[in-house]
Amino acid sequence: MEPQWNPTSYPQSPSLIFLLMATTYTWFLPVTSPQRIPTDPAAAPEYAHSIRLDGDIILGGLFPVHSRGDRGTPCGELKKEKGIHRLEAMMFAIDLINKDPELLPNITLGARILDTCSRDTYALEQSLTFVQALIERDGSDVRCANGDPPIFTKPDKIVGVIGAAASSVSIMVANILRLFKIPQISYASTAPELSDNTRYDFFSRVVPPDSYQAQAMMDIVTAMEWNYVSTLASEGNYGESGVEAFIQISRETGGVCIAQSLKIPREPRPGEFDKIIRRLLETSNARAIIMFANEDDIRRVLDAAKRNNQTGHFLWVGSDSWGSKISPVVGQERVAEGAITILPKRASVDAFDRYFRSRSLSNNRRNVWFAEFWEENFNCKLGMHGKRPGSLKKCTGLEKVGRDSSYEQEGKVQFVMDAVYAMAHALHRMHRELCYGYPGLCPRMANIDGKELLSHIRAVNFNGSANTPVVFNENGDAPGRYDIFQYQNTNRSTAEYRVIGSWTNKLHLRVEAMRWKSGDPSLPPSVCSIPCRTGERKKVVKGVPCCWHCERCEGYHYQASEFTCELCPYEMRPDTNRTGCVPIPIIKLEWHSPWAVVPVFISMLGIIATSFVIVTFVRYNDTPIVRASGREMSYVLLTGIFLCYAITFLMIATPDVGVCSFRRIFLGLGMCFSYAALLTKTNRIHRIFEQGKKSVTAPRFISPASQLVITFSLISVQLLGVFVWFAVDPPHTVVDYGEQRTQDPLAARGVLKCDISDLSLICSLGYSILLMVTCTVYAIKTRGVPETFNEAKPIGFTMYTTCIIWLAFIPIFFGTSQSAERMYIQTTTLTISLSLSASVSLGMLYMPKVYIILFHPEQNVPKRKRSFKAIVTAATMSGKLSQKGGDRPNGEVKTELCESMETNNSLEVAEKPLWVSFQHTWRRHTLLQPHKGCEGSSPLFVLMSPGDHRGNKRPAD
């Protein structure tokens, strides 16, 4: 929904008030008459109102067909070139477009062309015709003289306007067109004010604004590497505004300093030009002179330089008033040698010349002003109704343009045609977007949105009528187009202007084509200070911006421009010359590095040792020691130990997505396997003795299958956390440039590593550490069991040592976070800590067993067993011992326990392994030694060893 217009959002000016009043008046124009009939013939000439060409899409046109009228009349004399030539150029362009099968196929362009009479207020009134179709008319209260309802003449809907010529007219018309969102393209308005996109947002133009000439001269000065120049202007609007624009640009860019800004008086006194030359010589380093002066002043300045023997000293840069004219340099070729001048680029459209020369009264009836042009051009009269009553010669109608009258194409014809084509290309782009594949206008283009059309206008890019590109910038301005000349002496006798470049929104200068001092190709200087060396910036002297000191760029800064040192991107460092940035070398932990050799060596020894233990256990799988240690849990624990060693290779391998993925999985998995198995074992021991204090029934979940289920349930938590980590933050590699970002850029390195932060690492290992701490707690709780009770004591020693290792790991790992060797230290510390943890578990839990299996096989035999009742009794006595130990002297409790065991003579000793039936399952129990201090007592403690039952039948003795 379009926003409602709010009068307070626009400036309250008399012109706008008149605009609104005139708009209101036009609502009722069709009610009274289809056209306006002047009541006073003397006040309103009998000029036709407009030209109308039928079409599917109607364009508006504003042209100064007549000059400004005198004594209250709106229009004056006919303007043949600026009016008729430009008007015909629009109609010629429309004819070409309508005949072009590629541009707007099956769509006919029409036109409604109005005369502005070179007056802004009259043009504003005429332009109301363009918006009539967009104004709602309410005729409910209006009746004709006979009482009938009014019949409204349907006005043409204008989608875009070509024009106007004068900037003052374009400014006035743009104010009303923007209210109704009608795009406007001017072919001649060059006022810089129209570049204000906030006030004239629907205005565009195919001609460059006047500010571009000063910009072109500034670009020339910059390309010549001149930064210290003087300006010279003729007094008046042209010279002063040109110099002002140049100085303003120099302030904005900051690259050129103005040494002096002098003005040539309108009526110079004798000796004035010699005085000007002497003043310019006061700043002799500023050899370049920027001139915005008329050709008479240019000639007299050159003559004064010649009289003061300054031939070859000054470097002249002239505006378009100098251009390629001969008169300023006649007789002063030597002093003018090397002068650089600019001239707007123009081109004649040959096709239009052929078209216009073929126009006659018989084939050009659509131009309502052509008869008037015919009389004016051939100085004759067309019958009694001719517009030239004083002419004695009568027109025959057989006259021919260019044959019977002089003809030269008006300079803006090219731009009129470019403006029409720009509108056509924009409509073509819109049609292709909204009506693709639809012949002619589709319903979506029945009401063309002006704002959308404007966006297409600003996006056009095509070669215009003179084969020059037609484009618009964000303000709707066309690029400036200028030819750049240099006055050169080709030999000792002649000199001429030669084209050395062009300026089309940016400078294209052929420096190699320039000549100085009769053939010298080197560029003359016009600077205050000598250039700085490579890698040094210019520090401008305060108050004298064209002079500087040189400072070298330090640290990670490079010389971005002659005035600035900029910091290199984070992943780069300055090159040796400090003129640019080069990528910082990327490193990683290499296999041959000492930081990697030690962990790899320890890991390889551990893997060999672990593999040896696994092979030994598999080989002696059915021996008592292997059975007593719990085969299933032992293999789980050995798998975890193996993974703890193997992770070292992943931590040192070159990071990529695969390696990073495996790091996340196996970093904490090895420890999780180990400590989940140990926690399950210690928890089982604890539950057995706690249950023995309460009843003679065995605890639940102590079978091998239950132990495996518990262990893998604990492991699954780790795996679940890893999978969640994968989902939240997929693994990838990063290059850390901050880790080894030294003060010397040459020593800086980027570290290639996996994107695993310290926090993520702790979270990955945190669950395993939690299992380790819990296992340690259970080890402490079961520390009071007999030394010969399975693995309680070795597990306890293992956990105590492991805790010490990881307590030492934490300060080493995090204490080196600011070190330049952080990657090496942390990786080595982590891998060695994992290997040491695995080595402690392997050495304390399995090496003694392997030693007995291999070197003392006589001890690897079944021992005497006791019944499960003995377990309960021992557990009960152990509980009593712990309860009474605090209340009685040392030895009393032990004596009571021994006496109690002596009285329990119902326990029978089996010479063979004893099998106890529990819940209809026969299980074998390992006999352990009696409590210390009970000399002569029979073994009491029996452990139900996991994994040693074989079916539900009691085996043969």
Side-chain angles (χ1 to χ4, degrees), residues 678-691:
L678 289 177
L679 175 60
T680 305
K681 280 191 172 188
T682 53
N683 174 264
R684 178 174 172 272
I685 296 172
H686 176 73
R687 287 190 294 114
I688 288 176
F689 279 89
E690 288 297 318
Q691 183 70 14

Side-chain angles (χ1 to χ4, degrees), residues 140-155:
S140 58
D141 297 334
V142 180
R143 290 291 182 270
C144 295
N146 59 2
D148 294 335
I151 300 175
F152 291 98
T153 302
K154 185 178 180 181

Side-chain angles (χ1 to χ4, degrees), residues 152 394 622 629 678 797 851 862 885:
F152 291 98
K394 185 177 181 180
D622 293 326
S629 61
L678 289 177
F797 291 139
Y851 177 77

Side-chain angles (χ1 to χ4, degrees), residues 223-434:
M224 301 300 295
E225 299 180 357
W226 298 336
N227 61 6
Y228 198 44
V229 301
S230 296
T231 63
L232 185 60
S234 294
E235 186 176 4
N237 181 70
Y238 172 77
E240 294 178 21
S241 61
V243 166
E244 182 181 354
F246 182 87
I247 294 176
Q248 180 63 29
I249 294 173
S250 69
R251 290 172 181 170
E252 293 174 356
T253 58
V256 177
C257 303
I258 308 301
Q260 294 190 76
S261 185
L262 305 181
K263 186 185 302 183
I264 302 174
R266 292 182 186 274
E267 298 180 2
R269 293 173 294 180
E272 186 70 34
F273 291 94
D274 292 327
K275 180 181 178 181
I276 290 174
I277 295 300
R278 286 193 296 269
R279 289 194 58 186
L280 291 174
L281 289 174
E282 293 176 1
T283 52
S284 58
N285 286 345
R287 297 177 59 191
I289 311 299
I290 311 301
M291 298 184 68
F292 283 86
N294 58 58
E295 56 182 286
D296 291 335
D297 288 341
I298 294 171
R299 185 176 60 255
R300 286 181 285 185
V301 168
L302 295 177
D303 184 57
K306 182 179 180 180
R307 287 196 307 271
N308 286 272
N309 297 321
Q310 297 302 319
T311 300
H313 175 76
F314 293 111
L315 308 171
W316 312 105
V317 181
S319 63
D320 60 348
S321 61
W322 187 335
S324 57
K325 297 176 182 178
I326 299 298
S327 57
V329 298
V330 172
Q332 300 167 144
E333 291 81 3
R334 294 298 304 275
V335 71
E337 181 182 1
I340 301 173
T341 62
I342 67 174
L343 189 65
K345 184 186 293 290
R346 294 183 180 181
S348 178
V349 183
D350 295 336
F352 177 79
D353 289 340
R354 294 191 296 270
Y355 163 82
F356 196 78
R357 286 192 176 102
S358 67
R359 296 298 88 189
S360 65
L361 293 174
S362 60
N363 63 13
N364 198 20
R365 295 182 182 275
R366 62 183 181 178
N367 186 347
V368 297
W369 295 291
F370 196 72
E372 185 180 358
F373 164 78
W374 199 266
E375 292 181 332
E376 183 75 22
N377 190 54
F378 297 106
N379 193 23
C380 62
K381 180 180 179 181
L382 288 170
M384 59 182 300
H385 298 290
K387 303 299 187 295
R388 295 176 61 85
S391 299
L392 300 178
K393 179 182 175 182
K394 185 177 181 180
C395 300
T396 64
L398 300 178
E399 295 86 357
K400 189 173 181 61
V401 176
R403 184 191 64 186
D404 301 318
S405 65
S406 61
Y407 167 77
E408 183 179 357
Q409 186 180 123
E410 200 273 333
K412 293 295 191 298
V413 165
Q414 165 198 346
F415 301 113
V416 173
M417 297 183 63
D418 288 345
V420 177
Y421 266 91
M423 191 72 74
H425 278 281
L427 290 168
H428 184 77
R429 288 168 56 94
M430 177 182 284
H431 181 268
R432 187 172 53 189
E433 180 179 310
L434 300 180

Side-chain angles (χ1 to χ4, degrees), residues 578-637:
R578 291 188 176 272
T579 56
C581 298
V582 295
I584 295 177
I586 299 175
I587 62 171
K588 61 181 181 61
L589 184 57
E590 301 292 344
W591 293 100
H592 55 77
S593 170
W595 296 97
V597 170
V598 174
V600 169
F601 179 74
I602 296 175
S603 178
M604 292 181 65
L605 291 180
I607 289 175
I608 294 172
T610 305
S611 300
F612 179 75
V613 171
I614 293 175
V615 171
T616 302
F617 265 55
V618 172
R619 172 67 179 79
Y620 298 93
N621 190 55
D622 293 326
T623 60
I625 286 184
V626 176
R627 290 181 176 181
S629 61
R631 288 175 292 188
E632 291 81 358
M633 299 303 294
S634 293
Y635 292 136
V636 174
L637 180 55

Side-chain angles (χ1 to χ4, degrees), residues 913-934:
L914 180 62
W915 294 83
V916 179
S917 175
F918 179 67
Q919 293 182 352
H920 307 291
T921 301
W922 290 97
R923 299 186 180 179
R924 190 174 186 178
H925 304 281
T926 303
L927 180 65
L928 299 180
Q929 298 299 322
H931 193 282
K932 290 183 179 181
C934 300

Side-chain angles (χ1 to χ4, degrees), residues 713-831:
S713 297
L714 295 174
I715 294 172
S716 65
V717 175
Q718 172 75 14
L719 292 174
L720 179 62
V722 171
F723 292 147
V724 171
W725 188 8
F726 269 80
V728 174
D729 182 17
H732 58 278
T733 60
V734 295
V735 179
D736 187 353
Y737 294 97
E739 186 170 317
Q740 295 195 23
R741 192 174 180 85
T742 58
Q743 292 184 351
D744 182 10
L746 296 178
R749 298 292 184 271
V751 180
L752 176 63
K753 59 184 182 180
C754 293
D755 187 24
I756 302 178
S757 63
D758 292 345
L759 178 60
S760 300
L761 178 67
I762 293 302
C763 292
S764 178
L765 296 176
Y767 180 66
S768 300
I769 294 174
L770 176 63
L771 294 178
M772 180 183 68
V773 172
T774 307
C775 187
T776 304
V777 171
Y778 276 109
I780 294 174
K781 288 185 177 183
T782 59
R783 70 185 184 280
V785 302
E787 295 178 358
T788 55
F789 183 79
N790 205 355
E791 297 173 324
K793 293 255 188 287
I795 290 175
F797 291 139
T798 298
M799 301 316 302
Y800 306 151
T801 307
T802 304
C803 289
I804 293 174
I805 291 173
W806 287 99
L807 286 175
F809 161 79
I810 293 175
I812 296 175
F813 187 87
F814 292 99
T816 58
S817 59
Q818 303 300 323
S819 173
E821 304 292 332
R822 171 186 174 185
M823 176 189 66
Y824 306 110
I825 297 176
Q826 290 187 344
T827 303
T828 303
T829 302
L830 178 60
T831 53

